Amino acid sequence: MNSQNTPVHIRLWHKDFWLMAIANFLLAMTIYMLVPTMPQWLLEEQQFSPQDAGIAMGAFGVGLFALGAFISYMVQHYRRNQVCIIAVMVEALLIATLYYLDGLHMHVTSPVVIFVQRFAWGAVFGLAQMVLTSTLIIDTSESFQRTEANHSAAWFSRFALSMGPMAGLLFWRIGGFHLVVTAAMVCAVAVMVLVLLVNFPFRAPQDDIPTMSLDRFFLPHGFPLFVNLQLVTLAIGLIFSVVLSEHFYSTMMMGFVLAILSQRFVFKDAELKSEVVTGLILIGAALLMMITRDLPIVMVAAPLFIGMGIGLIGSRFLLFFIKLSRHCQRGTSQSTFLLGWESGIAWGVGIGIALFHGDTITALIVALVLVVLALGMYHFTHSWFTNNKNR
């Protein structure tokens, strides 16, 4: 029975869902704006070596896992929207440390300071994002709409994958790193406001929840899918570590639009594995063009293919994780997908800067090898998925 405090929504796209989807987009923007700009700041302003800058960017991916085991305890003992807001508030404060360092033209005494900052940033971002996607977005939709809600909300953060770097590079060109971190802080504050605007029903705290658990954190029996996803996102992270063009990311966004249209009209009745295979082939073709050709058309076709490929793969893998989940594990499947997606990109960026700084071709070749490995592995992963799915 629905209480008076629990709203019932006939349609998915109501006000509360819109607010949560936009919050998801802005939360992703807080990190993606820093992907192409923070390494430049570390190398140029802080005089970091490429290895230290790479470790700093990769530390974010490690931090993502730091608080995951406590999520179930937190959302069952405290107001779940407040957990998200506090995590985003801490994230804003961590971004403010970069604003402070850049504004005073200070040089950190040791790279470890930035390593710790990035690790903590990853931890609170991971907490906020997992609570938002695995709990709050689900709470704003009815049970029969939740797969559609997860799929639709994920597209908002996926668009931030192109919008974030594009905006970051634009702000860098207009006002330097100071403007970039200011924009990131504004996005974080906007996320807090949007979450506050939604009225989530009160739930009585539960006393029998263990302090640490895998609930809402990681889906162990989805590990093969997690590894396959990581191969793809590592390759994307490597690409992002060498691409510093606003045009590239804006064109990649058009690829996302093509992915949405193709899912609706091309892959509607296609074989289940066709989307991932097509996406990997598109990314592989884009990398081959970038490695072997230096023509203007490549800077249009390559990001278009990469955007379409990421869109197809991300959407399908998210649905695969949902279908692998058992009863009451939907939130856990969301968090597992998030961890595979965000950590892979963070580690790919870190590896690209640390090992291949100034050597774009080698970074792209390694990315191509990862895509080929992902395609080869997917042949087995898909068969394993069809034999193990629960929905």
Side-chain angles (χ1 to χ4, degrees):
M1 178 180 294
N2 295 302
S3 71
Q4 291 180 346
N5 293 325
T6 306
V8 177
H9 302 290
I10 304 302
R11 289 190 291 183
L12 174 64
W13 295 95
H14 53 86
K15 186 193 75 170
D16 289 349
F17 181 76
W18 270 108
L19 292 175
M20 289 298 92
I22 296 170
N24 196 30
F25 168 78
L26 292 173
L27 184 58
M29 288 287 286
T30 62
I31 61 165
Y32 290 136
M33 281 193 287
L34 278 292
V35 166
T37 55
M38 188 169 180
Q40 293 184 72
W41 179 72
L42 292 174
L43 292 167
E44 297 171 8
E45 301 296 329
Q46 295 296 323
Q47 302 299 308
F48 275 30
S49 67
Q51 290 72 34
D52 285 339
I55 293 170
M57 298 305 293
F60 179 91
V62 179
L64 287 168
F65 295 82
L67 298 176
F70 304 97
I71 287 180
S72 181
Y73 176 83
M74 291 181 189
V75 299
Q76 298 292 351
H77 278 74
Y78 308 102
R79 294 292 297 266
R80 47 196 62 188
N81 56 334
Q82 292 179 1
V83 173
C84 181
I85 289 168
I86 291 171
V88 177
M89 186 183 302
V90 176
E91 182 189 3
L93 292 174
L94 289 167
I95 299 172
T97 61
L98 299 178
Y99 182 90
Y100 177 78
L101 288 171
D102 186 64
L104 295 181
H105 302 288
M106 294 177 62
H107 290 274
V108 295
T109 56
S110 170
V112 175
V113 174
I114 299 298
F115 298 166
V116 172
Q117 189 266 356
R118 287 287 295 174
F119 176 86
W121 190 353
V124 293
F125 171 81
L127 175 61
Q129 186 79 310
M130 282 188 269
V131 173
L132 184 63
T133 57
S134 69
T135 303
L136 299 186
I137 287 174
I138 290 175
D139 284 350
T140 60
S141 55
E142 300 303 311
S143 58
F144 66 93
Q145 298 170 331
R146 287 175 177 173
T147 297
E148 183 186 354
N150 295 141
H151 180 266
S152 301
W155 266 111
F156 280 76
S157 59
R158 203 167 292 132
F159 268 102
L161 187 62
S162 59
M163 286 285 289
M166 184 178 69
L169 289 169
L170 179 63
F171 292 147
W172 175 280
R173 184 160 55 85
I174 294 172
F177 191 65
H178 214 58
L179 185 57
V180 177
V181 292
T182 300
M185 285 190 290
V186 169
C187 287
V189 171
V191 172
M192 290 186 277
V193 172
L194 290 172
V195 175
L196 281 170
L197 288 174
V198 178
N199 181 31
F200 293 96
F202 173 76
R203 298 175 188 272
Q206 296 185 23
D207 297 324
D208 57 344
I209 302 297
T211 305
M212 298 179 66
S213 72
L214 293 179
D215 185 33
R216 303 175 194 268
F217 172 40
F218 193 81
L219 198 66
H221 63 275
F223 189 71
L225 203 61
F226 177 85
V227 174
N228 210 160
L229 177 62
Q230 279 249 306
L231 289 174
V232 179
T233 52
L234 279 168
I236 299 305
L238 282 169
I239 296 170
F240 284 9
S241 72
V242 297
V243 173
L244 297 173
S245 166
E246 298 158 38
H247 170 75
F248 183 95
Y249 292 108
S250 63
T251 308
M252 196 174 84
M253 188 163 30
M254 297 305 299
F256 287 155
V257 174
L258 289 178
I260 294 173
L261 293 174
S262 64
Q263 285 179 325
R264 176 67 179 84
F265 299 107
V266 179
F267 295 102
K268 184 178 179 180
D269 299 313
E271 187 181 352
L272 186 60
K273 67 189 299 184
S274 60
E275 285 181 78
V276 175
V277 172
T278 301
L280 289 168
I281 291 173
L282 285 169
I283 296 173
L287 286 166
L288 279 173
M289 286 190 289
M290 294 170 71
I291 292 167
T292 61
R293 297 287 185 271
D294 187 20
L295 300 171
I297 188 63
V298 171
M299 288 309 293
V300 175
L304 195 70
F305 286 2
I306 289 172
M308 188 174 178
I310 294 172
L312 291 172
I313 294 167
S315 296
R316 181 49 57 186
F317 266 66
L318 175 62
L319 293 174
F320 281 174
F321 274 108
I322 292 173
K323 290 180 179 296
L324 277 175
S325 62
R326 301 187 180 98
H327 181 62
C328 294
Q329 287 187 320
R330 176 183 293 275
T332 311
S333 68
Q334 298 295 299
S335 296
T336 309
F337 172 81
L338 166 72
L339 290 170
W341 185 269
E342 300 293 355
S343 65
I345 292 174
W347 291 336
V349 171
I351 292 169
I353 295 166
L355 300 182
F356 308 115
H357 179 65
D359 191 357
T360 300
I361 297 300
T362 303
L364 295 177
I365 290 173
V366 174
L368 179 60
V369 171
L370 288 170
V371 170
V372 172
L373 288 174
L375 182 59
M377 181 180 178
Y378 183 66
H379 173 73
F380 300 99
T381 303
H382 187 82
S383 299
W384 168 85
F385 165 76
T386 54
N387 293 326
N388 289 274
K389 62 181 180 178
N390 290 290
R391 297 175 188 266

